[in-house]
């Protein structure tokens, strides 16, 4: 998960001094529920999966039924034509294969994991960076329309990376709606800010484990719990939060 976040931040760091940098962050709505079965099987064939493997996955996805209960009345069974079961380990792999051909244009980079996506671009000139990002956004929007992937328009934001305070005069749109320009955004669980200082992220991961420790203090203080159990609680509730995305 943090690999995609590292891709973005490393790219920005390498180009911070002599290039302008910008990114648009997208949230894919109901990601696992919109995977088209025929489209997924077609992509597996293109990726040279064995025929028997494709047939096995087709069997895994087929014959699914659903019902809807409204005000005590149950509908008749309907066939499930899209989506992968979210409680299956295989489903995550299938969804990643489904979005594997997400458009990578020559002018922009795309970092995707599950329902979080980021389009980013760099150039020596600010105007060219903005135009690159606009072309990448348009291409990604068309790809999403083609493959039945819906973008949550209420959770779209953009960042122009810079150490300075000069405001950027640009405006991106998606389906006619303006994209909000922000100073930091939460991407794959990490707070990415326009200066790549990690200060918002560090402040958040400092506060959250502290609140957890206050709530669970009586457990750590209790003599009824042995040291091994206390260590397990610490690793699960506190250390896991403090070390998340630390490699980024």
């Amino acid at each position: 998960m943090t690999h995609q976040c590292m891709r973005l931040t490393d790219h920005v760091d390498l180009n911070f001094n002599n290039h302008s940098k910008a990114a648009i962050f997208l949230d894919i709505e109901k990601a696992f529920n919109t995977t088209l079965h025929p489209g997924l099987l077609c992509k597996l064939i293109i990726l040279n999966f064995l025929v028997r493997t494709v047939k096995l996955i087709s069997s895994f996805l087929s014959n699914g039924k659903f019902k809807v209960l409204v005000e005590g009345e149950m509908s008749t069974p309907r066939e499930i034509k899209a989506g992968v079961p979210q409680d299956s380990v295989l489903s995550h792999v299938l969804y990643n294969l489904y979005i594997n051909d997400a458009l990578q244009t020559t002018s922009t980079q795309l970092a995707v994991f599950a329902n979080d996506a980021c389009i980013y671009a760099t150039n020596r000139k600010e105007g060219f960076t903005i135009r690159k990002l606009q072309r990448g956004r348009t291409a990604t929007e068309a790809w999403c329309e083609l493959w039945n992937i819906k973008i949550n328009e209420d959770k779209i934001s953009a960042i122009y990376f810079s150490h300075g305070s000069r405001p950027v005069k640009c405006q991106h749109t998606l389906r006619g709606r303006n994209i909000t320009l922000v100073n930091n955004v939460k991407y794959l669980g990490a707070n990415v800010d326009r200066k790549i200082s990690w200060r918002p992220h560090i402040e958040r991961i400092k506060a959250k484990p502290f609140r957890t420790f206050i709530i669970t203090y009586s457990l750590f203080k209790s003599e009824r719990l042995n040291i091994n159990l206390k260590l397990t609680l610490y690793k699960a509730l506190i250390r896991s939060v403090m070390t998340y995305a630390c490699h980024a």
Side-chain angles (χ1 to χ4, degrees):
M1 182 185 296
T2 56
H3 174 70
Q4 298 290 17
C5 190
M6 291 174 64
R7 277 186 59 205
L8 169 64
T9 55
D10 287 348
H11 184 84
V12 172
D13 281 334
L14 288 172
N15 296 279
F16 227 126
N17 294 328
N18 55 358
H19 285 70
S20 64
K21 307 142 294 286
I24 295 177
F25 297 86
L26 309 173
D27 181 82
I28 299 174
E29 194 174 72
K30 299 179 181 179
F32 286 82
N33 295 333
T34 57
T35 305
L36 293 173
H37 295 170
L40 173 60
L41 297 176
C42 177
K43 292 184 180 188
L44 294 178
I45 294 172
I46 293 173
L47 291 171
N48 294 321
F49 274 70
L50 296 175
V51 174
R52 61 175 177 267
T53 303
V54 176
K55 288 183 177 179
L56 180 64
I57 293 173
S58 176
S59 176
F60 170 71
L61 297 173
S62 62
N63 299 322
K65 304 288 183 180
F66 72 93
K67 295 180 181 181
V68 178
L69 180 66
V70 179
E71 296 182 354
E73 295 294 331
M74 184 71 71
S75 69
T76 57
R78 303 297 174 93
E79 182 182 358
I80 299 175
K81 298 181 179 180
V84 290
Q86 296 189 30
D87 56 350
S88 169
V89 175
L90 182 60
S91 297
H92 294 270
V93 177
L94 294 178
Y95 177 74
N96 286 332
L97 291 170
Y98 186 70
I99 64 174
N100 181 63
D101 63 343
L103 291 175
Q104 296 279 0
T105 67
T106 56
S107 58
T108 60
Q109 297 290 326
L110 182 65
V112 184
F113 185 88
N115 63 329
D116 286 317
C118 173
I119 310 167
Y120 55 99
T122 61
N123 195 275
R124 291 185 180 275
K125 295 184 178 181
E126 180 180 300
F128 287 150
T129 300
I130 294 171
R131 283 195 287 272
K132 278 184 175 183
L133 205 57
Q134 288 173 337
R135 288 196 295 268
R137 174 194 52 76
T138 302
T140 302
E141 184 180 353
W143 182 87
C144 289
E145 290 281 355
L146 176 64
W147 293 105
N148 194 44
I149 293 177
K150 298 179 181 179
I151 297 173
N152 189 336
E153 298 177 8
D154 295 325
K155 294 184 178 180
I156 303 174
S157 57
I159 286 184
Y160 189 88
F161 296 101
S162 173
H163 285 311
S165 57
R166 181 177 63 87
V168 179
K169 296 180 180 180
C170 67
Q171 183 63 64
H172 296 282
T173 60
L174 183 71
R175 298 190 180 97
R177 294 183 57 176
N178 291 336
I179 297 176
T180 305
L181 191 66
V182 297
N183 290 324
N184 71 83
V185 65
K186 192 173 182 180
Y187 176 58
L188 296 174
N191 286 82
V192 180
D193 63 284
R194 64 191 298 268
K195 297 182 179 181
I196 309 295
S197 67
W198 296 108
R199 288 178 183 174
H201 180 72
I202 292 171
E203 291 299 322
R204 182 172 65 85
I205 65 173
K206 280 170 55 181
K208 187 175 180 180
F210 181 74
R211 291 195 300 268
T212 303
F213 178 73
I214 294 300
I215 295 172
T216 59
Y217 177 73
S218 59
L219 292 176
F220 287 100
K221 188 179 179 181
S222 174
E223 296 181 357
R224 296 181 180 180
L225 298 182
N226 60 51
I227 189 64
N228 290 330
L229 185 53
K230 291 179 181 180
L231 182 60
T232 301
L233 287 173
Y234 164 74
K235 291 179 178 179
L237 301 177
I238 298 176
R239 193 180 73 174
S240 61
V241 177
M242 296 183 68
T243 58
Y244 180 80
C246 63
H247 298 294

